[in-house]
Amino acid sequence: MNPDASIIASVPESAARAQALEAWRAQALKELQGAPLERLTTRSAEGLRIEPLYSAEPTALPGRELLLARASWAVCPEYRQPAVADAAAAIAADRGRGAQATWIEIDERLAAGVSGAPPPVGRHGVVLRDADELGMLRAAIEPGTPLTLAIGAAGRTIAGWLAGSSKPFTGLLGCDPLGALARRGALGWSIEHALQDMSHVTGWALAAAPGLRTALVDVGAYQEAGATCADQIAALLATGAAYLRALVAGGLGVAAAAGQLGFAVAVGRDLFLEIAKLRAIRLTWARLVAACGGDAAAQRMHLHVRGSWRERTTIDPWVGLLRGTGETFAAAIGGADSIATTAMDAAFGEPGELGRRMAVNTQLVLAEEAHLGRVADPAGGSGYVEALSDQLARAGWARFQAIEAAGGMAAALRAGLVQGWAAETAKVQAQAVASVRLPIVGVSRFAAAHERSTGATAIVDRLTDDLSEGTGADILDAARELSEGTGVRVRLGPAREQVTALARARLSEPFERLRARATGETVALVAVGEPAQWRGRVEFCRAYFAVGGLVAVETAGALGVDEVARQFAASGSRVAVICSADAVYADAVPRLVPALRAAGAAVVLLAGRPKELVEAMQAAGVDLFVQLGGDAVALLGELQARLEVRT
């Protein structure tokens, strides 16, 4: 018998926990050498409080039983191929690989009812012109497979096509006019009219298509625009509240209206934060429905989760496999009902055969081999996750109240309130990316200089002339009554509702533009002094310049100016990066720069930026400074520009 075990067993669990916590505090204070424990508390990028240690006691979150409703999820790939035939082929192929549900996103111009430039590459959608093309898509889907049609504000037209079909439709006809407005920045009619149409489509579905839900709250575009997790929660709640009001105004009760809604979000890189976001979404939505008088059944939601397009890259896209795994893991642990793993090559446009297959297999491995779908709310009881969930729920609710105070989601979009929040956060994120404080593996960290960005492949605008602006009829006029919609071809009209569109972008784009301009130029890392003085900065610069597609050539190192210059000349490079200790720079650099210029240096950089020496180094002829935490995008762009001028 273990004597220690018997001692532990004799102490009540709560007392043992208290003793352990007190022992930890004592040791922590000892290590801090008199500093307060508060020093160990940090803040996340979103401002959430991160404690150094959490109690084993779970937080008593209101509505926590909702998180125990399910364990498994449906593998639900998303399809955005502009050509209907391409989308249908991809759907049929994924069906044979293990896909269990289907999500079809229609072209953003069709969803908004307005013409104009195509959506961002990778964010386009299927161009549906008539009922026959919708039938082609449905034919590729196995009978009984849950289907979501994300149709924005085009509900009357699509519902009209379905009304004329003898084939039953089950799943979600995702009317999302506020989402379409936020993404596109325009609608072909007023948002009030679009909400009335959503209510009209819902009435038709209740009468003619039992089991078909008709409203979708998709806030993935807010994540793509850089919105914080709290802001995404707020947008979801405010949009959901607007749809509840519209459906109730159309004659439904709160429970029936809530039952018509489906929800979709995107998850990014921060594993625990994204898990907490998904849990907070369920809890806050339940609170909202309860406040409206909805019962426990009405408070439950169907939550679809996709990986982040914002995180995908055109440089070293294979890393996207790992990103997809992390995002899918977060979605599964966070309690998603269905998941779309974003393919590794999504940044190039529509994923290829390999990208789609690996995306589906990622989910199948996590479900079938890692058994993630066998436990409901596996993060429950983690003090860290519970605390994050609680903080995010409170922060999201406070933002939601701000939107409501502004007049609701439509008014907030018209005022640019929610778009402004996302833009502010995106600006901070862009600065963090540029300074590599927010690293992108394979792009801004651990990059291979030989990797080039080919740029996202151009997507041909496949809309025919009958989808151009000013053709005489908009979607609503073309399908004024559902019964007349079956033979209608969609036409786009002028914008009648305009707001600031969400500025969606991928984080890696600034570095990709740098890499696309790279010409294979080399930089010579000019080591000065003893190895102990230059080794660290040489290693840093080797990785730093690879980010810009520049190949680092290292010199052997020397003490004398003449030998340093000779080694640089032998490198064949036009760029010299002086690497040594700050103590060496004051004396060596003024003598070294002229020698390097004479040896062929078009641009001279200094590794480091000692504050007290900056002016002197610039006076000595140093062009640029390479520093940890500096704006790498700006510096590498400036270096490229100087080299182009001197070509």
Side-chain angles (χ1 to χ4, degrees):
M1 181 176 179
N2 184 340
D4 292 335
S6 64
I7 293 173
I8 294 173
S10 66
V11 180
E13 182 180 358
S14 58
R17 186 182 300 116
Q19 291 174 7
L21 181 60
E22 189 57 39
W24 175 86
R25 285 174 176 160
Q27 184 63 34
L29 287 171
K30 180 180 179 181
E31 296 293 335
L32 287 169
Q33 299 180 350
L37 282 175
E38 184 68 21
R39 177 170 293 184
L40 299 179
T41 299
T42 59
R43 293 279 177 180
S44 72
E46 299 208 3
L48 303 180
R49 182 182 175 91
I50 309 298
E51 301 289 351
L53 186 69
Y54 288 87
S55 168
E57 293 289 349
T59 306
L61 297 176
R64 191 172 179 276
E65 64 279 0
L66 294 170
L67 304 174
L68 302 174
R70 56 143 301 280
S72 62
W73 68 90
V75 179
C76 183
E78 297 182 350
Y79 302 93
R80 294 182 173 84
Q81 291 85 347
V84 171
D86 292 343
I91 291 169
D94 287 345
R95 184 180 67 189
R97 297 186 180 114
Q100 300 160 332
T102 301
W103 182 290
I104 297 173
E105 194 90 20
I106 73 166
D107 184 275
E108 289 181 6
R109 291 164 290 188
L110 302 180
V114 291
S115 58
V121 173
R123 296 292 87 184
H124 44 76
V126 180
V127 176
L128 285 176
R129 301 175 185 84
D130 54 38
D132 290 340
E133 291 189 330
L134 177 57
M136 186 186 304
L137 286 179
R138 297 183 69 192
I141 301 169
E142 188 172 351
T145 300
L147 169 62
T148 295
L149 276 173
I151 58 176
R156 293 184 70 122
T157 297
I158 307 299
W161 297 343
L162 293 172
S165 172
S166 59
K167 185 178 180 181
F169 183 97
T170 57
L172 174 62
L173 183 62
C175 297
D176 185 14
L178 286 168
L181 178 61
R183 285 189 294 271
R184 193 69 186 161
L187 287 181
W189 45 89
S190 71
I191 190 62
E192 289 79 13
H193 197 159
L195 290 171
Q196 289 174 5
D197 271 0
M198 181 181 71
S199 181
H200 184 88
V201 169
T202 301
W204 162 79
L206 289 172
L212 174 64
R213 290 176 294 136
T214 55
L216 171 64
V217 179
D218 188 343
V219 295
Y222 293 91
Q223 195 271 349
E224 294 171 5
T228 66
C229 288
D231 289 345
Q232 293 170 52
I233 294 170
L236 181 144
L237 295 175
T239 303
Y243 293 171
L244 279 181
R245 291 188 183 104
L247 294 177
V248 170
L252 296 186
V254 171
Q260 288 293 311
L261 269 60
F263 298 82
V265 298
V267 292
R269 63 171 58 199
D270 194 318
L271 177 68
F272 290 105
L273 188 66
E274 296 294 354
I275 292 171
K277 179 179 79 177
L278 300 181
R279 300 171 86 248
I281 282 172
R282 288 193 184 276
L283 298 174
T284 51
W285 177 249
R287 177 179 177 182
L288 188 154
V289 174
C292 294
D295 58 16
Q299 294 169 28
R300 299 190 182 278
M301 68 187 325
H302 186 282
L303 184 60
H304 174 75
V305 181
R306 66 176 65 95
S308 174
W309 169 78
R310 184 172 174 78
E311 300 273 1
R312 294 303 179 270
T313 70
T314 61
I315 299 172
D316 202 2
W318 299 99
V319 181
L321 279 171
L322 308 178
R323 295 188 179 100
T325 302
E327 292 160 355
T328 303
F329 182 88
I333 299 300
D337 294 292
S338 60
I339 301 175
T341 299
T342 298
M344 61 185 180
D345 52 347
F348 292 98
E350 281 316 300
E353 183 77 8
L354 179 61
R356 293 200 315 273
R357 180 165 64 87
M358 296 305 293
V360 170
N361 283 348
T362 296
Q363 292 194 52
L364 294 177
V365 168
L366 291 177
E368 302 295 333
E369 297 185 14
H371 308 301
L372 294 190
R374 295 192 176 185
V375 179
D377 191 28
S382 163
Y384 180 41
V385 175
E386 297 276 18
L388 283 181
S389 301
D390 180 67
Q391 289 187 70
L392 273 180
R394 294 177 187 279
W397 190 266
R399 287 293 216 185
F400 162 59
Q401 289 177 313
I403 295 174
E404 290 292 286
M409 194 61 179
L413 288 173
R414 285 166 173 159
L417 176 65
V418 186
Q419 305 96 310
W421 292 346
E424 290 175 7
T425 307
K427 182 178 180 180
V428 173
Q429 289 178 348
Q431 293 169 344
V433 167
S435 62
V436 200
R437 289 180 287 108
L438 187 66
I440 304 174
V441 174
V443 177
S444 66
R445 288 284 300 274
F446 310 109
H450 67 274
E451 287 276 355
R452 292 287 181 270
S453 172
T454 58
T457 53
I459 301 298
V460 176
D461 184 359
R462 306 189 189 192
L463 297 181
T464 56
D465 292 339
D466 64 344
L467 284 170
S468 62
E469 186 173 350
T471 52
D474 65 24
I475 291 176
L476 292 179
D477 293 332
R480 183 53 54 192
E481 295 297 334
L482 293 174
S483 60
E484 301 174 2
T486 56
V488 169
R489 290 179 66 81
V490 173
R491 298 169 186 246
L492 304 182
R496 298 176 184 173
E497 177 87 63
Q498 290 185 292
V499 302
T500 300
L502 291 168
R504 293 166 291 163
R506 292 179 297 104
L507 290 172
S508 61
E509 289 180 19
F511 284 104
E512 290 170 359
R513 288 192 289 269
L514 279 176
R515 201 75 70 89
R517 294 196 300 267
T519 59
E521 190 88 38
T522 63
V523 297
L525 307 183
V526 180
V528 181
E530 301 292 342
Q533 295 174 309
W534 51 256
R535 184 175 290 113
R537 279 177 166 160
V538 164
E539 292 176 354
F540 173 78
C541 288
R542 185 192 309 124
Y544 186 95
F545 287 102
V547 166
L550 298 162
V551 179
V553 178
E554 300 176 28
T555 65
L559 298 174
V561 170
D562 292 341
E563 177 59 17
V564 170
R566 186 194 68 78
Q567 291 180 7
F568 169 73
S571 73
S573 179
R574 296 191 298 152
V575 181
V577 185
I578 303 171
C579 300
S580 191
D582 289 355
V584 174
Y585 288 155
D587 177 63
V589 170
R591 295 183 294 113
L592 188 54
V593 172
L596 292 172
R597 298 283 190 195
V603 185
V604 177
L605 299 91
L606 191 71
R609 188 183 174 90
K611 293 181 180 179
E612 66 281 2
L613 296 177
V614 169
E615 291 185 3
M617 296 298 96
Q618 290 173 329
V622 172
D623 296 308
L624 300 167
F625 297 86
V626 182
Q627 63 180 128
L628 179 66
D631 190 327
V633 171
L635 184 139
L636 293 169
E638 175 66 17
L639 176 57
Q640 285 183 344
R642 288 176 181 249
L643 289 173
E644 289 170 2
V645 168
R646 290 172 170 80
T647 298

